[in-house]
Amino acid sequence: MLAARASTRNVQRIARSFATVVDSAGVKVAAVDSNRPTTSVTFLVKAGSRFETKAGVAHGLKNFAFKSTAKRSALGTVRETELYGGLLSANLSREHLALTAEFLRGDEQYFVDVLSSFLTSAKFTRHEFEEYVTPVMQGEIELSNADPALHALELAHALAFRNGLGSSIYATPHSHLTAEDIKAFAKSAFTKDNIAVVGTGIDQDSLARLVEQSLSKISTSSAFSSSPSSYFGGETRIQGHGGPQTVFIGFGSAGAPAPELAAISAHLSTTPSVKWSKSLSPIATALPEGTSVQTVYLPYSDASLFGLLVQGPTSASVKEAGKAAVTALKSASSLKGDDLKKAVAKAKFASASATESREGLVSLLGSKVLTGSASTLEATLSSLDGVSESSVSKAASALVGAKPTFVAVGDISSLPHADELGL
Amino acid sequence: MPLYGPLSFSFAPQVLASKTLSRWVKPFASWYAEQSGYRKYGLKYDDLLVEERDDVQRALGRLTPAEGYERAFRLKRASQASVLHAPLPKEQWTKISEDTRYLAPHVRDVEKEDSERAMWDTISVKRK
């Protein structure tokens, strides 16, 4: 009852389109001006790890961002940005490389120039690769291996999708990557079809004009082709030290991500709505002390990975929590009534509140802008409205029917195997 | 920048730009380079750069592994020849075509970076 009321109110409130996409010299530009004191501009490039030609080249490209270009040196970029008081960041996902500048209103000319000069005239010098890029890459690789949850997710992607989406965001510690490899990858990635520009706190016309000026010389044709993803699944166990015992139980599906999975993820999520209380999720009641189960729902453009990340201090507790998680996941196909309404409302709130933050808005808009379609939150919310008992049951049984992706990181002699958890 | 030596001021670009000047100066310069004798020990001119300096050390780090190896080999061979108090056999002398400035461009780059850093450290900003 309460859930139903909350969900209808949500839809009525946010009945507006975020941004229309304009074509500015072949580059797609979208901007939202929500009267905030700062502006951000993101250049979203289809250069994620799924497109890489050599392992780790996308990771290298990300770390080459804001190094020397024909216009200014790496030091010049840093110092001048400091003088303007802005922030530059590069973020790599499996599908996109996002180059973001956040700054005060009025400084857009400089910051768009910094971002676009990386796309048009980056030098990719060997000494910068060795002196600045490689150490940071090594640090990030070590960090990803030290965090069992991150490590388990990387392994799970490799098992679930093998190539393409399966290739890791991080380079391997001993990859023979050179600045030349990265330069060649950048050359094939930085084309007009591959770039979308998303601005927040900036007027669309002025952003489109700046982009047109700065990116007019970039080549049009894209050399990229990625084969459509397919789901495989499998099991792997990796010895790990110093972190919590970790098990990831995942299921994937190829094809466009379904809203039913978001609802199931919200249903199983053990994050309580009120801090320090216990969630009403079917998993939460059966968890032993000290263990945690997180739902992981990762939608990609042509596949999605859904799973439960179980962490705990001992293998025995992880085994118990894992059993509870698998039981709950299997019974998700019989989700109905108020439970379903609650799950849909939770999923709606999650996707709506994600657009409140700048990163959430950019990631929602960006992927849509790249395909050229206008994007509204309404579309996402109404697709969640279409979730019914039968569609959830169908999606859940199709999900669980596939071969599971099982990853154990920690003390592998005592951590449970997939069949011991009832998979 | 030092006051004298290979890394100091040089008129070479101006001389090379002028046809008349380079026609007069070049024979003398070639004779001088030959007379200074480093080619007889199989060295290149850039092997003589003073390397006990931070900027040259950074420039040395930017050589490719092959360039770095060859440099070390030349220096070892030359010091062995020096121990023997005799130049190398003639076929091992550095040819004029091989006497390239493999290190100087890197040193100039490093110098440019250092001076840019100094510029940014001391800049006074006026916002328009």
Side-chain angles (χ1 to χ4, degrees):
Chain A
M1 183 55 207
L2 185 76
R5 214 181 61 207
S7 60
T8 45
R9 195 177 56 199
N10 245 351
V11 178
Q12 280 161 4
R13 260 210 190 153
I14 313 165
R16 65 183 167 83
S17 136
F18 276 126
T20 45
V21 182
V22 294
D23 216 275
S24 146
V27 180
K28 293 166 203 92
V29 179
V32 194
D33 194 351
S34 46
N35 267 335
R36 290 196 199 168
T38 59
T39 307
S40 85
V41 174
T42 299
F43 279 46
L44 204 68
V45 190
K46 255 166 121 178
S49 57
R50 75 175 291 179
F51 302 107
E52 66 192 12
T53 45
K54 189 173 175 180
V57 77
H59 189 207
L61 181 62
K62 178 214 136 187
N63 282 306
F64 243 119
F66 315 119
K67 297 290 175 285
S68 65
T69 65
K71 279 196 173 163
R72 46 180 85 74
S73 66
L75 180 75
T77 309
V78 172
R79 293 294 175 93
E80 211 169 339
T81 305
E82 278 176 357
L83 289 175
Y84 278 100
L87 274 180
L88 298 173
S89 58
N91 211 334
L92 183 70
S93 68
R94 276 166 209 281
E95 298 195 289
H96 303 125
L97 169 67
L99 304 163
T100 305
E102 292 164 74
F103 46 89
L104 293 169
R105 277 174 183 267
D107 294 339
E108 54 267 13
Q109 186 144 23
Y110 166 73
F111 283 97
V112 169
D113 187 54
V114 167
L115 294 176
S116 60
S117 68
F118 174 62
L119 298 189
T120 51
S121 64
K123 282 181 177 164
F124 299 109
T125 54
R126 198 168 47 83
H127 72 266
E128 276 178 325
F129 179 67
E130 277 159 14
E131 288 170 20
Y132 305 122
V133 178
T134 315
V136 177
M137 278 171 75
Q138 292 291 358
E140 286 179 344
I141 292 164
E142 267 169 39
L143 214 59
S144 80
N145 286 338
D147 180 359
L150 208 55
H151 197 183
L153 278 180
E154 289 297 321
L155 292 167
H157 275 91
L159 280 176
F161 304 111
R162 295 189 186 173
N163 304 314
L165 281 175
S167 56
S168 172
I169 291 181
Y170 302 97
T172 46
H174 306 289
S175 62
H176 300 281
L177 211 58
T178 64
E180 286 302 311
D181 293 331
I182 297 170
K183 193 176 185 175
F185 179 64
K187 195 165 176 251
S188 62
F190 295 162
T191 57
K192 277 179 181 171
D193 329 345
N194 267 351
I195 301 170
V197 181
V198 181
T200 64
I202 187 171
D203 158 50
Q204 175 134 13
D205 294 335
S206 56
L207 182 61
R209 201 168 48 248
L210 283 172
V211 169
E212 191 175 352
Q213 282 167 9
S214 52
L215 288 186
S216 55
K217 272 179 258 162
I218 224 163
S219 75
T220 322
S221 63
S222 161
F224 268 171
S225 61
S226 69
S227 48
S229 306
S230 45
Y231 175 73
F232 297 93
E235 180 172 353
T236 190
R237 305 164 70 76
I238 299 290
Q239 185 76 44
H241 305 280
Q245 307 295 324
T246 304
V247 162
F248 176 79
I249 305 149
F251 293 93
S253 59
E260 283 78 14
L261 284 185
I264 294 173
S265 167
H267 170 62
L268 294 176
S269 166
T270 55
T271 314
S273 300
V274 178
K275 207 173 177 183
W276 304 121
S277 71
K278 208 159 196 176
S279 150
L280 292 173
S281 154
I283 302 174
T285 47
L287 280 186
E289 200 61 39
T291 56
S292 73
V293 175
Q294 290 168 51
T295 52
V296 179
Y297 171 51
L298 300 164
Y300 296 106
S301 62
D302 63 347
S304 49
L305 184 67
F306 173 73
L308 298 160
L309 188 73
V310 186
Q311 291 191 300
T314 60
S315 301
S317 63
V318 166
K319 188 173 179 179
E320 202 184 330
K323 270 182 187 165
V326 169
T327 318
L329 181 60
K330 289 203 163 158
S331 61
S333 55
S334 59
L335 183 63
K336 53 171 77 78
D338 271 355
D339 277 345
L340 178 63
K341 279 181 194 156
K342 215 162 60 188
V344 168
K346 221 172 161 185
K348 270 186 185 170
F349 175 73
S351 61
S353 78
T355 61
E356 290 281 312
S357 76
R358 192 163 259 166
E359 299 83 50
L361 182 63
V362 168
S363 69
L364 174 84
L365 269 178
S367 49
K368 298 271 170 62
V369 171
L370 266 177
T371 58
S373 60
S375 149
T376 58
L377 180 59
E378 259 187 315
T380 319
L381 293 183
S382 65
S383 76
L384 274 167
D385 270 331
V387 173
S388 66
E389 286 174 13
S390 59
S391 72
V392 164
S393 135
K394 216 176 109 191
S397 46
L399 192 72
V400 181
K403 191 180 174 192
T405 299
F406 184 87
V407 181
V409 178
D411 181 10
I412 48 172
S413 59
S414 60
L415 273 174
H417 287 263
D419 48 11
E420 288 171 348
L421 295 181
L423 284 170
Chain B
M1 194 177 264
L3 284 177
Y4 57 89
L7 292 176
S8 66
F9 299 99
S10 163
F11 290 115
Q14 286 83 345
V15 170
L16 285 170
S18 153
K19 227 174 184 180
T20 338
L21 262 180
S22 59
R23 204 174 67 220
W24 285 96
V25 175
K26 218 171 172 185
F28 174 74
S30 310
W31 173 82
Y32 181 80
E34 211 55 63
Q35 284 307 301
S36 54
Y38 64 88
R39 286 179 186 157
K40 290 182 189 169
Y41 284 82
L43 293 171
K44 294 184 181 184
Y45 185 61
D46 274 358
D47 296 338
L48 308 182
L49 299 197
V50 177
E51 66 170 87
E52 289 83 3
R53 288 168 42 145
D54 287 345
D55 48 0
V56 180
Q57 281 301 316
R58 251 167 73 206
L60 283 173
R62 294 183 183 184
L63 296 177
T64 61
E67 280 171 343
Y69 174 83
E70 278 167 15
R71 174 187 159 88
F73 171 73
R74 285 193 303 272
L75 289 173
K76 266 197 174 162
R77 186 176 58 179
S79 48
Q80 172 65 11
S82 162
V83 166
L84 297 176
H85 295 289
L88 292 171
K90 203 162 184 182
E91 65 275 9
Q92 290 183 28
W93 291 8
T94 309
K95 296 185 192 77
I96 295 171
S97 59
E98 286 169 0
D99 194 1
T100 47
R101 306 297 303 267
Y102 68 96
L103 184 58
H106 292 297
V107 179
R108 301 264 175 258
D109 280 350
V110 172
E111 267 173 2
K112 223 184 272 171
E113 281 164 30
D114 286 347
S115 63
E116 194 193 348
R117 184 176 288 276
M119 188 273 281
W120 283 111
D121 282 347
T122 54
I123 197 170
S124 71
V125 186
K126 267 183 222 136
R127 198 126 190 219
K128 277 183 263 180

